[in-house]
Structure formats: C-alpha cells, structure tokens
C-alpha cells in the first residue's frame, strides 16, 4: 500500500472541493434556496455526490476504512501526548504497541495486521489524519533531577522574585551564565552519491573548548564577553581582535570590549568570577540609576563574599535560580545560547575550510572568531514582519524574548508553569485510563531510584595470574568440578523438537548428593527426571528445562521460580527470576526481579514488572530467598539470561 497516492495526469478529479464548500451547498439545498442540480452546477460538485450527502447515503470515507474509529484514534493520540507532557514521549513503535494492546483488550483480531500489531504505515497515516493537533518532534534529553522540579519550588521562586524585581526597569535586570565554545563544528547534511554507506567529510577538530561568560539585560543590552582560556599564563596575542562596541554595549563602561583571563582547568572559579563581577558587570551597573537585579545559577564558584558585599553597597540584588531549573528559568539557556552556538558552528566551519592543516583553534584566533560569530548572529533577519518593525538586531531580539519566555520581564510565572506537565491528563481521556496513566507517569518522573552503592573489595591476585569475571565464591574451591553434558529438549517456532547439549561446570557433589533445597532434578540412565533431595543448601543447583514431572509440584502464590520469556521477534529466549503473584487456571501472574551482582545470587524487585506466563514456562522452582536491604538473596547462583 502506497503512503501517498499520486494521481495520473489526465484522470478524473474525484474530489475537487473542500468540506466547507460541501456544507455550504448542502445547507442551501436544505433551505430550498437551490435544487440539487443547481447546486451541482454552481459549486461544481457531482450530482450523485450531492444527492448521497443530502439523503445520508454512502457516509463512509472513500477508500479503505480505518481500523479504529475517529474517537478511538483521538483517545490513543491523547494518551501519547500525555506521555510526552510528562517527559516520556512515545515513538512510532510505542504508538503501534499501544494500539495493539487496545485491540487485544477489546478481543478484536485484525487480519490485515500481523499478530494484531499495526504497521509503520498505519502510525504515519494516523498522524497525518490528525496533523493539525499531533505530530512528531525532536526531543531533548534532560536529567531526572531536572524533571523533578515541581510547581511548589517554582511558585516559591517567583514569589520571591516578584518582590525583588517589582518597579525595576528591564534595563536593570541582568542574567549571567558561562558556556563552552567547542572546537568541533558538528555534523551537517551534505550531498553524496546514493548508496554511500559511510559518508565522511575531511575536517580537523579536537575536543578542546573555551569558556565564555555572557551577561545580558532584559531590555536587550549585551555586555562584552569574558573569555577564560585553559592555561597557566596569559599572553598579549590572546587579547587581540576581540569584539568592541556593537552589538555589545557601546557605553564608556564597556568601551574596552572583551576581557580575558585564564585558569588551569579552563573552567570558571571563584577568583575568576570575582574578577568578572568587579571589572565587567559592576562598572556597567554603577552607571544605572535605581535598584539592579543580577540573576544566575547557584554554582559554588559564583558565591563570593566580596561579590555579595559589593552588591549590598551598590544596591544590587544577587538572586539564585531554583536548582536544576536553568532549562526553564534561565533566560540565556532558554533563548540565547542556541542561536549563538549555531552561528559559532558556521563560523568555525568556514575558518576550518580556510585552514585545513590546523587541528585546534589557536588561542590568538579565538577572540576574532567569537567577534565574527556575534556579528553574524546579530545580522540574522527576523522571522516575521512584526519583529522587523520592532527591532532589527537579532541579539537584542533574542535577549528580550528570553527574559519574556522565562517570565521575568514582563513578570508572568505562567510562562514557566505552563511548560510543566499538568496535574492530571486531559479530561477527554476516559476516567480509568486517566487515573492509571497519571499514577504511572508521576512515578516515572518523580520517583527516587537511589541504588545502594556497593563497597569495593580488593582482590588478592598473584602477580601474572588471570582472573575470570565470576567471583571466587561462586564456585567453592574445596569441591571437585567436572564438566557434565546435559541434554534437554526445546520446542522450535515450527513446532519441531530440538535436542541441545549444554556443557555446565557442576561440582561432583551435586551428582553424588541430591539436594532438597531445589526441585532441579538430573538425568539418570533411563532418561527420567529424578527429584534431588538433600540438606546441603550450599550446592549449586543443576537447572534443567521444566518437564511434566516438574509439574507435580503445584505452583503456589509467593513461590520463586526461574521462568523463560521470548523476545519480541521470537528469536531469543531469556530466563528471569520471578515470584508467583496470582494463579488463573493454567496461567500465572508473576513479578519480575533483576540481578544486582555478578554472582547472580542477589535480586531486586522491578516495580510494576508484572507478566502473565504459562505453567509450562517454568524452568525450575527456586528456594525461598533471604530478604536483606530490599533485596532477595539466594544461596547459590541462578542461571539467568537477562536482556
């Protein structure tokens, strides 16, 4: 099936009218203003089409009929959009799986879908039918610590901010932040011969970067950049050809342009920040009348006693942003650094094309390249005529829009709060789906997954001796070990039975002394499964495939088992530790566990990892583990195969 049908030239036009024209024609026919024939001639709609619409005949859409109704498609897309609001957007594959689950829940089997799973064309067509409300976008990854920023902390921040910036003009509200100007111009689409598997572009680059401190005001004034080199010393050639004047501040306080410094790490530290404040920001702030506000993140190097004293003397409010919220509340991060980096990459690429043999940017060339970047950025034309009428300088437009987007100037906290996920999904979603979806997404976004950190143990290894990945305790040294070949049968996808031989390292005591701790069994000479019974719990079990004899032990709720699971494509089989939560006829509801150590003896419960399996999927029954520090400890290794 083609995705977009293209009509052959010269064929009949099946539909050369819009829905609005059709509704207008039907309305006039209903009001006896026009006959069907007259409306057909006036609106150039076929007579038969108007007749069927007027009589309510042939109401289906032309072509193949969709599997889901219009309301069902909207419900699926609303749920997908809700996941995106909470920071867990769905891909096209996730959308298809969601539709499959909806069909399975209703008990419908669609023959055109393979295994009831819609194809990629279905997902693309659904988004195309609702393109005015839903669509695909490139997502930006944020850390979970940033995602946990809630309305309570932001409201408290805006309450404090309002009292500080009340009656303060935009020219007196500043935001500062540092950013790295990398030496890599990044990837770019180019023209290649079709079929090229590895498209490459010859261009030298390095992993070095230079820190630049940027500061701007809410009225669009940009202070000269403060450049920080990674070096022990500072040389005169590194301070030449920097930007002076437009588009930066042209007042006498900034007449000398850029200022330069160096640190051994290349990052800003407390003395460097103090130097920037005293020699770059403070001279500009002293020329302004009234109260000044300086907003920045709460980096430890930004908190200096001399800076705070200078702020009190010169009537400057030093305000820190909410931790982990700079992607929402810091103006430079929201609307200034992105166009700056785009212009920087273009300038860097042009310079590297003219200097093919140079690997990294010489420090004496960096000020000039930064100057060219800011000038090119400032000359970017506005996107619409409204912006062109107000301001031609792109630097000023970006700064003004950045402070507006973060709700600082003009003050509007809803600018930021509206970017957070809603308290609950859309009321248009069914109540049951809305409640379960809200609970799941809130747990995914705000839960604290703090894993206990294991204490490292120094291994006692003789010089020149190798060590395997398994811990020494996984195989006792006081037992003899032999390699035993175990045969087991497995069912293939084509209903044939396949016999496989697996070589396993098993202590000889396992073969000679059966164990009561496990229902594992072993092969005797008659190829029958014999139950193992012993009091020795420290013997590693010989896990074999479940057979009809194993089913003699009826599964019970709360029992731990080793179960098999197939991959989505059915090509691989995985073995997981589970506990039985419920028994429904021949099916088991099991809770999954994840291994925590290489010894495969410590397992931890995976929240909401519930599955339904058959009793025949049980590989073996496991002993009752010990519960220690929210983990379950088995006496021996469990032969798992986890994804």
């Amino acid at each position: 099936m083609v995705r977009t049908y293209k009509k052959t030239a010269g064929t009949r036009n099946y539909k050369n009218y819009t829905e609005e024209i059709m509704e207008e024609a039907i309305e006039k026919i209903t009001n006896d203003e026009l006959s069907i024939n007259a409306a057909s001639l006036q609106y150039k709609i076929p007579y038969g089409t108007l007749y069927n619409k007027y009589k309510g005949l042939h109401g289906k859409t032309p072509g193949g009929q969709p599997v889901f109704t219009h309301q069902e498609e909207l419900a699926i897309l609303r749920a997908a959009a809700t996941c995106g609001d909470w920071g867990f957007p769905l891909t096209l594959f996730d959308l298809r799986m969601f539709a499959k689950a909806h069909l399975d829940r209703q008990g419908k089997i669609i023959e055109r879908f393979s295994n009831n799973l819609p194809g990629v064309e279905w997902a693309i067509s659904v988004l195309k039918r609702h393109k005015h409300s839903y669509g695909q976008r490139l997502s930006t990854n944020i850390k979970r610590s940033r995602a946990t920023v809630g309305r309570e902390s932001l409201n408290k921040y805006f309450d404090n901010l309002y009292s500080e910036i009340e009656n303060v003009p935009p020219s007196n509200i500043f935001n500062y932040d540092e950013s790295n100007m990398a030496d890599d111009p990044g990837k770019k689409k180019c023209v290649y011969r079709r079929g090229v598997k590895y498209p490459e572009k010859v261009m030298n680059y390095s992993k070095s970067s230079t820190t630049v401190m940027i500061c701007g005001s809410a009225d669009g004034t940009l202070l000269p950049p403060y450049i920080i080199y990674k070096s022990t010393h500072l040389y005169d050639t590194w301070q030449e050809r920097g930007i002076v004047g437009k588009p930066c501040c042209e007042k006498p306080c900034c007449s000398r342009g850029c200022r330069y410094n160096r640190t051994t790490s290349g990052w800003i530290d407390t003395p460097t920040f103090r130097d920037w404040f005293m020699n770059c920001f403070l001279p500009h702030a002293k020329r302004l009348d009234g109260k000044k506000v300086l907003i920045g993140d709460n980096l430890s190097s930004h908190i200096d006693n001399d800076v705070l004293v200078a702020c009190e003397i010169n009537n400057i409010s030093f305000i820190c942003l909410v931790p982990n919220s700079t992607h929402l509340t810091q103006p430079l991060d929201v609307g200034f650094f992105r166009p700056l980096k785009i212009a920087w990459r273009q300038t860097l690429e042009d310079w590297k094309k003219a200097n093919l043999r140079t690997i990294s940017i010489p420090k004496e060339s960096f000020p000039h390249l930064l100057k060219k970047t800011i000038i090119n950025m400032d000359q970017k034309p506005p996107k619409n005529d409204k912006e062109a009428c107000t301001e031609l300088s792109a630097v000023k437009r970006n700064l003004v829009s950045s402070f507006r987007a973060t709700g600082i100037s003009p003050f509007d906290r809803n600018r930021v709060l509206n970017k957070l996920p809603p308290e609950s999904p859309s009321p248009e979603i069914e109540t049951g789906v809305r409640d379960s979806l809200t609970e799941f997404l809130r747990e995914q976004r705000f839960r604290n997954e703090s894993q206990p950190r294991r204490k490292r143990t120094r291994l006692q290894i003789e010089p020149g001796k190798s060590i395997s990945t398994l811990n020494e305790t996984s195989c006792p040294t006081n037992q003899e070990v032999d390699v035993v070949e175990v045969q087991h049968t497995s069912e293939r996808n084509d209903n044939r039975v396949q016999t496989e031989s697996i070589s396993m390292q098993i202590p000889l005591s396992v073969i000679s002394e059966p164990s009561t701790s496990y229902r594992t069994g072993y092969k005797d000479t008659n190829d029958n499964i014999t139950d193992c019974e012993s009091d020795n719990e420290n013997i590693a079990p010989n896990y074999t495939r479940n057979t009809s004899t194993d089913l003699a032990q009826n599964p019970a709720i709360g029992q731990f088992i080793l179960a098999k699971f197939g991959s989505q494509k059915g090509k691989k089989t995985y073995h997981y530790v589970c506990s039985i939560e419920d028994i429904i006829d021949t099916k088991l509801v099991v809770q999954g566990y994840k291994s925590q150590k290489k010894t495969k003896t410590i397992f931890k419960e995976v929240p909401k990892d519930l599955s339904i399996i058959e009793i025949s999927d049980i590989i073996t029954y496991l002993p009752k583990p010990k519960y220690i520090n929210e983990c379950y400890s088995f006496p021996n290794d469990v032969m798992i195969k986890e994804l």
Side-chain angles (χ1 to χ4, degrees), residues 133-165:
S133 302
Y134 304 95
Q136 289 182 286
R137 295 286 302 276
L138 287 175
S139 59
T140 302
N141 297 329
I142 63 172
K143 295 182 179 180
R144 185 172 293 275
S145 58
R146 290 181 177 267
T148 55
V149 177
R151 296 178 181 271
E152 182 179 356
S153 58
L154 289 177
N155 277 320
K156 186 176 180 181
Y157 156 74
F158 278 109
D159 291 339
N160 298 331
L161 180 65
Y162 180 76
S163 61
E164 294 290 345
I165 67 174

mmCIF file of all heavy atoms in Angstrom, residues 133-165:
data_model
loop_
_atom_site.group_PDB
_atom_site.id
_atom_site.type_symbol
_atom_site.label_atom_id
_atom_site.label_comp_id
_atom_site.label_asym_id
_atom_site.label_seq_id
_atom_site.Cartn_x
_atom_site.Cartn_y
_atom_site.Cartn_z
ATOM 1 N N SER A 133 -3.270 18.637 15.101
ATOM 2 C CA SER A 133 -3.248 18.554 16.566
ATOM 3 C C SER A 133 -2.060 17.776 17.104
ATOM 4 O O SER A 133 -1.596 18.050 18.217
ATOM 5 C CB SER A 133 -4.548 17.904 17.073
ATOM 6 O OG SER A 133 -5.683 18.632 16.651
ATOM 7 N N TYR A 134 -1.541 16.797 16.332
ATOM 8 C CA TYR A 134 -0.471 15.940 16.830
ATOM 9 C C TYR A 134 0.570 15.751 15.727
ATOM 10 O O TYR A 134 0.253 15.790 14.537
ATOM 11 C CB TYR A 134 -1.007 14.571 17.274
ATOM 12 C CG TYR A 134 -2.099 14.659 18.307
ATOM 13 C CD1 TYR A 134 -3.442 14.632 17.925
ATOM 14 C CD2 TYR A 134 -1.805 14.792 19.655
ATOM 15 C CE1 TYR A 134 -4.449 14.715 18.866
ATOM 16 C CE2 TYR A 134 -2.800 14.880 20.607
ATOM 17 C CZ TYR A 134 -4.130 14.846 20.201
ATOM 18 O OH TYR A 134 -5.118 14.947 21.131
ATOM 19 N N GLY A 135 1.797 15.539 16.146
ATOM 20 C CA GLY A 135 2.884 15.318 15.197
ATOM 21 C C GLY A 135 4.149 14.913 15.919
ATOM 22 O O GLY A 135 4.218 14.892 17.157
ATOM 23 N N GLN A 136 5.185 14.550 15.149
ATOM 24 C CA GLN A 136 6.471 14.142 15.703
ATOM 25 C C GLN A 136 7.396 15.340 15.823
ATOM 26 O O GLN A 136 7.416 16.213 14.955
ATOM 27 C CB GLN A 136 7.122 13.074 14.818
ATOM 28 C CG GLN A 136 6.439 11.721 14.862
ATOM 29 C CD GLN A 136 7.166 10.709 14.011
ATOM 30 O OE1 GLN A 136 7.116 10.735 12.795
ATOM 31 N NE2 GLN A 136 7.871 9.794 14.670
ATOM 32 N N ARG A 137 8.139 15.375 16.903
ATOM 33 C CA ARG A 137 9.121 16.428 17.146
ATOM 34 C C ARG A 137 10.402 15.813 17.684
ATOM 35 O O ARG A 137 10.376 14.758 18.335
ATOM 36 C CB ARG A 137 8.584 17.442 18.180
ATOM 37 C CG ARG A 137 7.378 18.232 17.721
ATOM 38 C CD ARG A 137 7.763 19.293 16.696
ATOM 39 N NE ARG A 137 8.753 20.207 17.224
ATOM 40 C CZ ARG A 137 8.462 21.278 17.964
ATOM 41 N NH1 ARG A 137 7.202 21.553 18.272
ATOM 42 N NH2 ARG A 137 9.424 22.077 18.381
ATOM 43 N N LEU A 138 11.527 16.462 17.414
ATOM 44 C CA LEU A 138 12.788 16.029 18.007
ATOM 45 C C LEU A 138 12.777 16.361 19.493
ATOM 46 O O LEU A 138 12.445 17.478 19.887
ATOM 47 C CB LEU A 138 13.970 16.715 17.322
ATOM 48 C CG LEU A 138 14.312 16.237 15.910
ATOM 49 C CD1 LEU A 138 15.426 17.088 15.326
ATOM 50 C CD2 LEU A 138 14.720 14.770 15.906
ATOM 51 N N SER A 139 13.142 15.407 20.311
ATOM 52 C CA SER A 139 13.121 15.599 21.760
ATOM 53 C C SER A 139 14.522 15.881 22.280
ATOM 54 O O SER A 139 15.521 15.440 21.704
ATOM 55 C CB SER A 139 12.548 14.360 22.466
ATOM 56 O OG SER A 139 13.325 13.222 22.171
ATOM 57 N N THR A 140 14.583 16.614 23.371
ATOM 58 C CA THR A 140 15.839 16.933 24.042
ATOM 59 C C THR A 140 15.881 16.195 25.377
ATOM 60 O O THR A 140 14.925 16.238 26.147
ATOM 61 C CB THR A 140 15.963 18.444 24.287
ATOM 62 O OG1 THR A 140 15.867 19.132 23.034
ATOM 63 C CG2 THR A 140 17.289 18.776 24.945
ATOM 64 N N ASN A 141 16.986 15.515 25.627
ATOM 65 C CA ASN A 141 17.117 14.750 26.871
ATOM 66 C C ASN A 141 17.431 15.679 28.041
ATOM 67 O O ASN A 141 18.275 16.570 27.928
ATOM 68 C CB ASN A 141 18.227 13.709 26.737
ATOM 69 C CG ASN A 141 17.929 12.683 25.672
ATOM 70 O OD1 ASN A 141 16.775 12.364 25.422
ATOM 71 N ND2 ASN A 141 18.955 12.157 25.036
ATOM 72 N N ILE A 142 16.734 15.473 29.147
ATOM 73 C CA ILE A 142 17.043 16.175 30.384
ATOM 74 C C ILE A 142 17.219 15.140 31.483
ATOM 75 O O ILE A 142 16.626 14.059 31.435
ATOM 76 C CB ILE A 142 15.942 17.190 30.775
ATOM 77 C CG1 ILE A 142 14.606 16.472 31.041
ATOM 78 C CG2 ILE A 142 15.789 18.255 29.720
ATOM 79 C CD1 ILE A 142 13.553 17.386 31.620
ATOM 80 N N LYS A 143 18.028 15.458 32.462
ATOM 81 C CA LYS A 143 18.267 14.537 33.565
ATOM 82 C C LYS A 143 17.029 14.447 34.450
ATOM 83 O O LYS A 143 16.194 15.345 34.491
ATOM 84 C CB LYS A 143 19.462 15.007 34.398
ATOM 85 C CG LYS A 143 20.783 14.976 33.644
ATOM 86 C CD LYS A 143 21.924 15.408 34.543
ATOM 87 C CE LYS A 143 23.253 15.350 33.801
ATOM 88 N NZ LYS A 143 24.385 15.776 34.653
ATOM 89 N N ARG A 144 16.944 13.339 35.173
ATOM 90 C CA ARG A 144 15.798 13.148 36.065
ATOM 91 C C ARG A 144 15.767 14.213 37.161
ATOM 92 O O ARG A 144 14.711 14.607 37.626
ATOM 93 C CB ARG A 144 15.854 11.748 36.678
ATOM 94 C CG ARG A 144 14.647 11.395 37.516
ATOM 95 C CD ARG A 144 14.687 9.936 37.907
ATOM 96 N NE ARG A 144 14.523 9.090 36.742
ATOM 97 C CZ ARG A 144 13.342 8.750 36.238
ATOM 98 N NH1 ARG A 144 12.233 9.212 36.797
ATOM 99 N NH2 ARG A 144 13.267 7.970 35.194
ATOM 100 N N SER A 145 16.952 14.705 37.564
ATOM 101 C CA SER A 145 16.977 15.752 38.585
ATOM 102 C C SER A 145 16.307 17.027 38.073
ATOM 103 O O SER A 145 15.653 17.746 38.837
ATOM 104 C CB SER A 145 18.426 16.050 38.985
ATOM 105 O OG SER A 145 19.195 16.442 37.856
ATOM 106 N N ARG A 146 16.440 17.317 36.782
ATOM 107 C CA ARG A 146 15.755 18.474 36.215
ATOM 108 C C ARG A 146 14.259 18.222 36.094
ATOM 109 O O ARG A 146 13.450 19.140 36.235
ATOM 110 C CB ARG A 146 16.339 18.808 34.843
ATOM 111 C CG ARG A 146 17.754 19.361 34.891
ATOM 112 C CD ARG A 146 18.243 19.685 33.491
ATOM 113 N NE ARG A 146 19.576 20.283 33.509
ATOM 114 C CZ ARG A 146 19.818 21.571 33.527
ATOM 115 N NH1 ARG A 146 18.808 22.416 33.537
ATOM 116 N NH2 ARG A 146 21.045 22.039 33.541
ATOM 117 N N ALA A 147 13.888 16.972 35.804
ATOM 118 C CA ALA A 147 12.470 16.653 35.636
ATOM 119 C C ALA A 147 11.698 16.729 36.950
ATOM 120 O O ALA A 147 10.481 16.890 36.947
ATOM 121 C CB ALA A 147 12.315 15.257 35.033
ATOM 122 N N THR A 148 12.393 16.615 38.086
ATOM 123 C CA THR A 148 11.704 16.634 39.373
ATOM 124 C C THR A 148 11.378 18.035 39.860
ATOM 125 O O THR A 148 10.790 18.190 40.931
ATOM 126 C CB THR A 148 12.570 15.923 40.435
ATOM 127 O OG1 THR A 148 13.869 16.530 40.474
ATOM 128 C CG2 THR A 148 12.710 14.448 40.108
ATOM 129 N N VAL A 149 11.792 19.061 39.110
ATOM 130 C CA VAL A 149 11.451 20.433 39.500
ATOM 131 C C VAL A 149 9.939 20.586 39.409
ATOM 132 O O VAL A 149 9.340 20.388 38.351
ATOM 133 C CB VAL A 149 12.156 21.451 38.594
ATOM 134 C CG1 VAL A 149 11.742 22.863 38.959
ATOM 135 C CG2 VAL A 149 13.661 21.293 38.708
ATOM 136 N N GLY A 150 9.307 20.926 40.529
ATOM 137 C CA GLY A 150 7.857 20.983 40.585
ATOM 138 C C GLY A 150 7.312 22.389 40.708
ATOM 139 O O GLY A 150 8.044 23.379 40.781
ATOM 140 N N ARG A 151 5.997 22.470 40.724
ATOM 141 C CA ARG A 151 5.311 23.759 40.794
ATOM 142 C C ARG A 151 5.542 24.448 42.132
ATOM 143 O O ARG A 151 5.588 25.677 42.196
ATOM 144 C CB ARG A 151 3.811 23.547 40.557
ATOM 145 C CG ARG A 151 3.492 23.016 39.175
ATOM 146 C CD ARG A 151 2.009 22.780 39.000
ATOM 147 N NE ARG A 151 1.732 22.249 37.672
ATOM 148 C CZ ARG A 151 1.495 23.007 36.601
ATOM 149 N NH1 ARG A 151 1.471 24.332 36.736
ATOM 150 N NH2 ARG A 151 1.268 22.477 35.420
ATOM 151 N N GLU A 152 5.665 23.673 43.196
ATOM 152 C CA GLU A 152 5.818 24.287 44.516
ATOM 153 C C GLU A 152 7.110 25.099 44.600
ATOM 154 O O GLU A 152 7.108 26.264 45.033
ATOM 155 C CB GLU A 152 5.804 23.200 45.594
ATOM 156 C CG GLU A 152 5.913 23.747 47.004
ATOM 157 C CD GLU A 152 5.875 22.646 48.043
ATOM 158 O OE1 GLU A 152 5.684 21.475 47.663
ATOM 159 O OE2 GLU A 152 6.030 22.968 49.246
ATOM 160 N N SER A 153 8.225 24.506 44.160
ATOM 161 C CA SER A 153 9.506 25.224 44.225
ATOM 162 C C SER A 153 9.531 26.405 43.263
ATOM 163 O O SER A 153 10.079 27.473 43.585
ATOM 164 C CB SER A 153 10.655 24.262 43.911
ATOM 165 O OG SER A 153 10.490 23.672 42.632
ATOM 166 N N LEU A 154 8.923 26.250 42.086
ATOM 167 C CA LEU A 154 8.896 27.353 41.130
ATOM 168 C C LEU A 154 7.998 28.491 41.612
ATOM 169 O O LEU A 154 8.326 29.670 41.430
ATOM 170 C CB LEU A 154 8.435 26.850 39.764
ATOM 171 C CG LEU A 154 9.429 25.965 39.000
ATOM 172 C CD1 LEU A 154 8.821 25.478 37.703
ATOM 173 C CD2 LEU A 154 10.720 26.716 38.724
ATOM 174 N N ASN A 155 6.867 28.162 42.216
ATOM 175 C CA ASN A 155 5.991 29.219 42.738
ATOM 176 C C ASN A 155 6.672 30.002 43.858
ATOM 177 O O ASN A 155 6.537 31.229 43.948
ATOM 178 C CB ASN A 155 4.682 28.604 43.243
ATOM 179 C CG ASN A 155 3.685 28.375 42.127
ATOM 180 O OD1 ASN A 155 3.540 29.207 41.234
ATOM 181 N ND2 ASN A 155 3.013 27.241 42.166
ATOM 182 N N LYS A 156 7.408 29.294 44.701
ATOM 183 C CA LYS A 156 8.141 29.980 45.766
ATOM 184 C C LYS A 156 9.220 30.893 45.178
ATOM 185 O O LYS A 156 9.438 32.014 45.661
ATOM 186 C CB LYS A 156 8.770 28.943 46.697
ATOM 187 C CG LYS A 156 9.436 29.547 47.920
ATOM 188 C CD LYS A 156 9.945 28.455 48.845
ATOM 189 C CE LYS A 156 10.609 29.065 50.079
ATOM 190 N NZ LYS A 156 11.130 28.015 50.994
ATOM 191 N N TYR A 157 9.880 30.426 44.114
ATOM 192 C CA TYR A 157 10.894 31.245 43.446
ATOM 193 C C TYR A 157 10.275 32.504 42.856
ATOM 194 O O TYR A 157 10.818 33.609 43.005
ATOM 195 C CB TYR A 157 11.579 30.406 42.364
ATOM 196 C CG TYR A 157 12.201 31.200 41.249
ATOM 197 C CD1 TYR A 157 13.381 31.919 41.432
ATOM 198 C CD2 TYR A 157 11.602 31.232 39.990
ATOM 199 C CE1 TYR A 157 13.951 32.649 40.395
ATOM 200 C CE2 TYR A 157 12.163 31.953 38.952
ATOM 201 C CZ TYR A 157 13.331 32.659 39.153
ATOM 202 O OH TYR A 157 13.885 33.382 38.124
ATOM 203 N N PHE A 158 9.141 32.354 42.184
ATOM 204 C CA PHE A 158 8.502 33.521 41.568
ATOM 205 C C PHE A 158 7.930 34.470 42.620
ATOM 206 O O PHE A 158 7.891 35.688 42.393
ATOM 207 C CB PHE A 158 7.418 33.070 40.597
ATOM 208 C CG PHE A 158 7.941 32.677 39.249
ATOM 209 C CD1 PHE A 158 7.952 31.350 38.851
ATOM 210 C CD2 PHE A 158 8.432 33.623 38.376
ATOM 211 C CE1 PHE A 158 8.433 30.983 37.613
ATOM 212 C CE2 PHE A 158 8.923 33.267 37.127
ATOM 213 C CZ PHE A 158 8.925 31.942 36.743
ATOM 214 N N ASP A 159 7.484 33.945 43.754
ATOM 215 C CA ASP A 159 7.012 34.830 44.832
ATOM 216 C C ASP A 159 8.146 35.714 45.330
ATOM 217 O O ASP A 159 7.970 36.932 45.538
ATOM 218 C CB ASP A 159 6.448 33.994 45.978
ATOM 219 C CG ASP A 159 5.142 33.303 45.600
ATOM 220 O OD1 ASP A 159 4.491 33.774 44.641
ATOM 221 O OD2 ASP A 159 4.791 32.306 46.251
ATOM 222 N N ASN A 160 9.317 35.109 45.529
ATOM 223 C CA ASN A 160 10.474 35.892 45.981
ATOM 224 C C ASN A 160 10.981 36.830 44.884
ATOM 225 O O ASN A 160 11.409 37.960 45.161
ATOM 226 C CB ASN A 160 11.596 34.951 46.422
ATOM 227 C CG ASN A 160 11.193 34.090 47.599
ATOM 228 O OD1 ASN A 160 10.363 34.489 48.416
ATOM 229 N ND2 ASN A 160 11.758 32.896 47.699
ATOM 230 N N LEU A 161 10.923 36.355 43.630
ATOM 231 C CA LEU A 161 11.413 37.173 42.524
ATOM 232 C C LEU A 161 10.548 38.413 42.325
ATOM 233 O O LEU A 161 11.068 39.499 42.023
ATOM 234 C CB LEU A 161 11.454 36.336 41.242
ATOM 235 C CG LEU A 161 11.959 37.047 39.983
ATOM 236 C CD1 LEU A 161 13.428 37.432 40.140
ATOM 237 C CD2 LEU A 161 11.773 36.157 38.754
ATOM 238 N N TYR A 162 9.244 38.269 42.500
ATOM 239 C CA TYR A 162 8.348 39.411 42.276
ATOM 240 C C TYR A 162 8.657 40.568 43.233
ATOM 241 O O TYR A 162 8.645 41.736 42.835
ATOM 242 C CB TYR A 162 6.898 38.963 42.448
ATOM 243 C CG TYR A 162 5.902 40.084 42.240
ATOM 244 C CD1 TYR A 162 5.599 40.549 40.963
ATOM 245 C CD2 TYR A 162 5.274 40.687 43.333
ATOM 246 C CE1 TYR A 162 4.693 41.581 40.768
ATOM 247 C CE2 TYR A 162 4.372 41.729 43.156
ATOM 248 C CZ TYR A 162 4.081 42.164 41.870
ATOM 249 O OH TYR A 162 3.198 43.193 41.683
ATOM 250 N N SER A 163 8.955 40.226 44.473
ATOM 251 C CA SER A 163 9.266 41.281 45.442
ATOM 252 C C SER A 163 10.597 41.954 45.138
ATOM 253 O O SER A 163 10.820 43.108 45.516
ATOM 254 C CB SER A 163 9.290 40.701 46.861
ATOM 255 O OG SER A 163 10.283 39.689 46.974
ATOM 256 N N GLU A 164 11.491 41.242 44.426
ATOM 257 C CA GLU A 164 12.806 41.803 44.114
ATOM 258 C C GLU A 164 12.790 42.660 42.851
ATOM 259 O O GLU A 164 13.489 43.673 42.776
ATOM 260 C CB GLU A 164 13.834 40.671 43.951
ATOM 261 C CG GLU A 164 14.115 39.885 45.228
ATOM 262 C CD GLU A 164 14.880 40.700 46.259
ATOM 263 O OE1 GLU A 164 15.434 41.762 45.892
ATOM 264 O OE2 GLU A 164 14.922 40.280 47.422
ATOM 265 N N ILE A 165 12.018 42.263 41.837
ATOM 266 C CA ILE A 165 12.050 42.990 40.560
ATOM 267 C C ILE A 165 10.877 43.949 40.400
ATOM 268 O O ILE A 165 10.730 44.571 39.342
ATOM 269 C CB ILE A 165 12.062 42.003 39.375
ATOM 270 C CG1 ILE A 165 10.742 41.235 39.297
ATOM 271 C CG2 ILE A 165 13.240 41.063 39.470
ATOM 272 C CD1 ILE A 165 10.639 40.357 38.065
#
